[in-house]
Amino acid sequence: MKVTIKDIAREANLSLSAVSRVLNNKPCRVSEEKKELIRSIAKKYNYTANQIARSLVTKKTNTFGLILPDIENIFFSSFAKRLEANCRQHGYALIITNTDDKYSEDQEMIDLLLARDVDGLFLIVSTESYQYVEPMIERLSKLEIPYVMVDRVYPEFDCNKVFFDHEKGAYLAVKHLIENGHRRIGCIANKLSTLNRDYRLDGYMKAMREYGCEIQDEYIVEGDYRIQSGYQAADKLLQTDISAFFVCNDMMTLGVFRKLYEGGYLIPEDYSIVSYDNTIAPFLSDIKLTSIEQNVAELGDTAFEVLFAQMENEELPAKDICLLPKLIVNESVQPIADEHK
Ligand code: RIB
C-alpha cells in the first residue's frame, strides 16, 4: 500500500501542513524533536521526494519568481515586462528579483523565492554563476518546483532551457561588417570564462576565419556588459588599427558611443558598429544602430509556455529550446572608410 502524507501525519499525530512543510524544508514552527519524528516515519515508509512534491498540501500561491542579473539593463527589464504580462494573463503574479550578476545573490534569491512559496521559477543566472556551475546545478537539482533556465544556461545540465543561439548572433554581426569591407574588427565581449561570452567569441572567430581576416589579440577586449566597461574597452580599441566594432551588448555600446563622441569620431563615417540586443534604438537620436535582436517577446512567451506546461504535467521531459537571433540592419555600418583601407 502506498503511504500517503496523511498516514505520516496520523502516525506523528501532527497536522498535514506541518508534515508537508517539514518534508519540504519550508520554514515552520515545529520543534526539532517533532521534525526528526516526521523524517523518521517518512524514512521508515521510504517516502520519496517526488511523493512529497505531489502531496504538497500547502495551497498554490499563484506566484512565479524571476531572477535577473541586472534589472537596469533594458534587455532584462523588457524580458521581465513580457513575462509578467504572460503571468498576469494566466492569473499569476511575478516576483522580480535582481542579483547584480553575483552568484551569492543567485543563491539568496532562490532562498527568498522558495520562502515565499512561488509555484515556479524563471532563472537568468549571474555572470559569476558560471564560476559555480556545480553548486548551482546541485541547488537546482533539489528544487521541488518547476523552473526554467533562460538566456544563460548550463548546457550539460538536463533541465528546462530557453535561450538564443549566441554564436549564431555574433557570426551574423561580424559577417555583416566583413561584407562591408571591414577586416580589422574589434570585439568587446563579456567577462572571461562566462559561457555566453565564449559562444559570442566563437561566432566572431568563425566569421573572421571564414573570410581570412587576421585576428589580433588586441582586437578582443573584455567588458562586463555595463556602460563603463564599453567606454574603457573602446579606449583600448582606438589605439589599434581596427575599422569597426562588434560589441556584445547594447549597454557597452552606449559606453563606446561616449568614447567615440569624446574623440570627435563619427559613426559610421569613421567607425562602423554592430551591437547586440537591439534594445536602445528608440533612445538614439543621431545614430541608427545595427544590432543583433534577441526577441524578448519570443523569449518571454516561450519561457512561460515551458514552465506552465511543466506545472500542468510534472512528468514532462525537460525542454531545451534554442531560438534564432536576427541581424537588424540599420545605418551604423558603411563600407570601410578610406583612411582605414
Ligand atoms: O545585455 C545583456 C546580455 O546578457 C544579453 O545579450 C543577454 O544575452 C544576457 O545574457
Side-chain angles (χ1 to χ4, degrees):
M1 179 195 74
K2 184 178 285 186
V3 167
T4 69
I5 200 165
K6 283 181 183 161
D7 300 321
I8 296 173
R10 190 180 307 113
E11 185 163 334
N13 193 23
L14 286 164
S15 72
L16 272 177
S17 59
V19 172
S20 166
R21 297 188 80 79
V22 168
L23 292 179
N24 283 281
N25 300 318
K26 288 185 181 293
C28 58
R29 285 188 289 277
V30 177
S31 69
E32 280 312 312
E33 182 194 1
K34 292 253 177 23
K35 283 181 181 177
E36 269 317 300
L37 172 63
I38 291 168
R39 289 183 186 120
S40 64
I41 296 170
K43 191 173 179 187
K44 179 171 77 175
Y45 293 119
N46 195 23
Y47 197 80
T48 63
N50 282 343
Q51 284 174 290
I52 293 171
R54 268 197 299 280
S55 64
L56 257 180
V57 287
T58 45
K59 293 267 174 295
K60 283 192 175 306
T61 57
N62 276 34
T63 306
F64 289 137
L66 170 61
I67 297 175
L68 293 175
D70 179 7
I71 203 160
E72 290 175 310
N73 179 320
I74 302 169
F75 174 81
F76 296 121
S77 47
S78 301
F79 168 72
K81 181 180 174 188
R82 182 66 178 215
L83 192 62
E84 195 276 332
N86 272 300
C87 294
R88 199 169 338 147
Q89 277 164 16
H90 291 77
Y92 279 77
L94 183 67
I95 301 177
I96 302 170
T97 64
N98 176 61
T99 65
D100 278 338
D101 252 332
K102 291 187 179 60
Y103 161 70
S104 59
E105 295 289 302
D106 276 338
Q107 292 284 13
E108 276 189 40
M109 290 308 108
I110 292 172
D111 291 341
L112 178 145
L113 293 167
L114 291 181
R116 277 155 184 75
D117 278 334
V118 293
D119 297 331
L121 189 60
F122 300 93
L123 171 62
I124 304 184
V125 292
S126 67
T127 295
E128 224 177 48
S129 283
Y130 277 116
Q131 326 300 328
Y132 299 90
V133 174
E134 290 313 313
M136 279 298 284
I137 287 179
E138 187 187 347
R139 182 74 197 276
L140 294 173
S141 305
K142 290 177 179 162
L143 288 182
E144 279 142 16
I145 55 170
Y147 64 92
V148 186
M149 289 193 85
V150 181
D151 173 50
R152 299 175 178 180
V153 301
Y154 295 145
E156 73 283 6
F157 181 40
D158 181 25
C159 73
N160 288 321
K161 302 178 194 112
V162 180
F163 56 96
F164 279 92
D165 185 333
H166 301 284
E167 177 180 338
K168 177 80 174 176
Y171 174 80
L172 292 173
V174 178
K175 181 168 179 275
H176 180 66
L177 286 163
I178 294 170
E179 287 172 344
N180 277 276
H182 298 276
R183 300 181 64 76
R184 286 169 275 106
I185 301 169
C187 174
I188 303 179
N190 190 11
K191 279 182 181 172
L192 283 168
S193 72
T194 54
L195 217 41
N196 288 6
R197 165 203 167 90
D198 297 346
Y199 290 142
R200 292 185 190 176
L201 218 43
D202 291 347
Y204 165 80
M205 301 273 199
K206 181 181 172 193
M208 293 288 274
R209 288 184 182 129
E210 198 171 281
Y211 287 85
C213 302
E214 190 184 347
I215 303 168
Q216 307 280 356
D217 290 346
E218 62 181 9
Y219 287 176
I220 299 170
V221 181
E222 180 186 330
D224 65 3
Y225 275 161
R226 283 157 175 79
I227 296 173
Q228 188 55 24
S229 70
Y231 179 89
Q232 289 159 349
D235 184 45
K236 289 178 187 161
L237 287 172
L238 286 175
Q239 291 155 53
T240 71
D241 64 351
I242 65 162
S243 66
F245 291 81
F246 166 51
V247 192
C248 287
N249 93 326
D250 282 345
M251 298 297 104
M252 294 192 291
T253 294
L254 291 175
V256 174
F257 285 165
R258 184 151 54 88
K259 187 63 191 175
L260 293 181
Y261 176 76
E262 286 175 356
Y265 297 111
L266 297 176
I267 297 165
E269 292 78 357
D270 296 317
Y271 288 94
S272 287
I273 288 193
V274 177
S275 185
Y276 213 109
D277 290 341
N278 195 39
T279 53
I280 56 176
F283 306 96
L284 302 176
S285 52
D286 52 348
I287 299 171
K288 302 220 179 313
L289 183 61
T290 295
S291 189
I292 297 298
E293 178 181 79
Q294 300 187 106
N295 188 295
V296 288
E298 188 182 9
L299 190 65
D301 295 352
T302 309
F304 183 84
E305 284 157 21
V306 167
L307 186 74
F308 212 64
Q310 185 97 66
M311 294 271 302
E312 303 287 292
N313 172 4
E314 288 168 13
E315 305 307 320
L316 270 181
K319 293 245 176 56
D320 189 327
I321 300 175
C322 181
L323 304 171
L324 276 183
K326 285 195 188 84
L327 172 67
I328 307 297
V329 178
N330 239 315
E331 299 169 10
S332 61
V333 175
Q334 74 171 22
I336 187 164
D338 293 341
E339 66 270 26
H340 284 303
K341 279 188 173 159

